[in-house]
Amino acid sequence: GAVVSQHPSRVICKSGTSVKIECRSLDFQATTMFWYRQFPKQSLMLMATSNEGSKATYEQGVEKDKFLINHASLTLSTLTVTSAHPEDSSFYICSARTYPNYGYTFGSGTRLTVV
Amino acid sequence: DAKTTQPNSMESNEEEPVHLPCNHSTISGTDYIHWYRQLPSQGPEYVIHGLTSNVNNRMASLAIAEDRKSSTLILHRATLRDAAVYYCILRDLDSSYKLIFGSGTRLLVRP
């Protein structure tokens, strides 16, 4: 089946630095990828939708200058958390549609801890 | 996006069937019903989806009410590995294909 590979699985960074998270679609092309954030004991919150070759669409309340999304190819989307602060510590998950109206495949998630 | 309502938690015994309910009284004619589950510290995993008819796959069955205002995910024989949070989500064909997660049902499986 379709696989979305997400790296790194865990990252610890210092406050003020930037962190890049990668999601790659293996054996399929992902024209659209979605980025979610999940705090402990809470549900997934959609942050943005990224389309290959165009600017990402951010959900209300998500700072586009802080969470930079790039979807330069049909198999790779990246999320960069810029100037990270402890409140950005969370579980970040990407997702891609596999085919129209079928299902969505999720990455395994990245646990970000900002110290 | 149309909303769904699920119980916060449910418990089951291992090797017994589990019926996870979902209410979606404001569902529209173009909304697909999706179910995903999330094991601890992992990304969600696709379980099943349907539009009007009941659906079966190797993981589960989806029973959709005739008026489509509710649905039930059926795990035929629960295993310890099925302990997860199960999310019932409506996805509109006319939307931008976004999946908006609700709070889900935490399923506990007793050995």
Side-chain angles (χ1 to χ4, degrees):
Chain A
V3 174
V4 171
S5 176
Q6 183 172 347
H7 293 281
S9 58
R10 292 177 180 271
V11 59
I12 301 173
C13 72
K14 290 186 177 179
S15 190
T17 62
S18 296
V19 173
K20 181 186 282 188
I21 301 169
E22 288 191 354
C23 272
R24 293 181 183 273
S25 57
L26 307 181
D27 66 32
F28 75 99
Q29 294 181 333
T31 54
T32 303
M33 277 205 180
F34 304 91
W35 287 93
Y36 294 84
R37 179 167 56 178
Q38 185 176 33
F39 292 109
K41 299 193 185 303
Q42 294 187 22
S43 185
L44 283 76
M45 185 193 79
L46 180 65
M47 299 175 66
T49 302
S50 79
N51 294 295
E52 185 266 337
S54 63
K55 288 185 178 180
T57 303
Y58 291 82
E59 295 297 305
Q60 192 171 7
V62 177
E63 300 175 59
K64 56 184 68 176
D65 294 330
K66 181 167 188 61
F67 299 101
L68 301 180
I69 291 172
N70 184 280
H71 195 158
S73 79
L74 287 170
T75 59
L76 175 64
S77 178
T78 61
L79 166 67
T80 301
V81 182
T82 63
S83 186
H85 291 285
E87 56 265 33
D88 298 324
S89 298
S90 188
F91 192 52
Y92 293 86
I93 308 166
C94 63
S95 170
R97 292 171 57 220
T98 47
Y99 352 100
N101 306 325
Y102 181 73
Y104 296 69
T105 300
F106 288 80
S108 54
T110 297
R111 180 141 335 261
L112 170 64
T113 303
V114 184
V115 297
Chain B
D1 299 291
K3 294 211 170 193
T4 62
T5 304
Q6 299 177 254
N8 289 332
S9 64
M10 292 185 64
E11 291 189 23
S12 170
N13 293 319
E14 197 175 10
E15 298 190 3
E16 290 186 356
V18 181
H19 289 65
L20 298 168
C22 181
N23 287 320
H24 28 79
S25 58
T26 59
I27 191 170
S28 73
T30 54
D31 282 334
Y32 275 78
I33 302 163
H34 283 246
W35 283 83
Y36 287 79
R37 71 180 185 182
Q38 185 179 25
L39 279 64
S41 299
Q42 294 186 29
E45 173 187 29
Y46 170 81
V47 178
I48 201 166
H49 82 292
L51 183 61
T52 56
S53 306
N54 294 344
V55 185
N56 298 296
N57 66 21
R58 63 175 180 80
M59 288 182 69
S61 295
L62 176 60
I64 301 173
E66 199 168 329
D67 62 6
R68 300 208 327 125
K69 293 186 176 182
S70 66
S71 61
T72 302
L73 179 69
I74 302 166
L75 306 179
H76 297 286
R77 287 185 66 202
T79 68
L80 296 179
R81 195 197 169 280
D82 291 323
V85 179
Y86 287 78
Y87 296 98
C88 168
I89 305 167
L90 301 183
R91 195 188 69 70
D92 188 348
L93 261 185
D94 298 328
S95 76
S96 57
Y97 303 105
K98 297 188 289 188
L99 279 185
I100 305 298
F101 284 74
S103 54
T105 296
R106 182 173 298 278
L107 175 65
L108 304 174
V109 181
R110 291 185 291 261

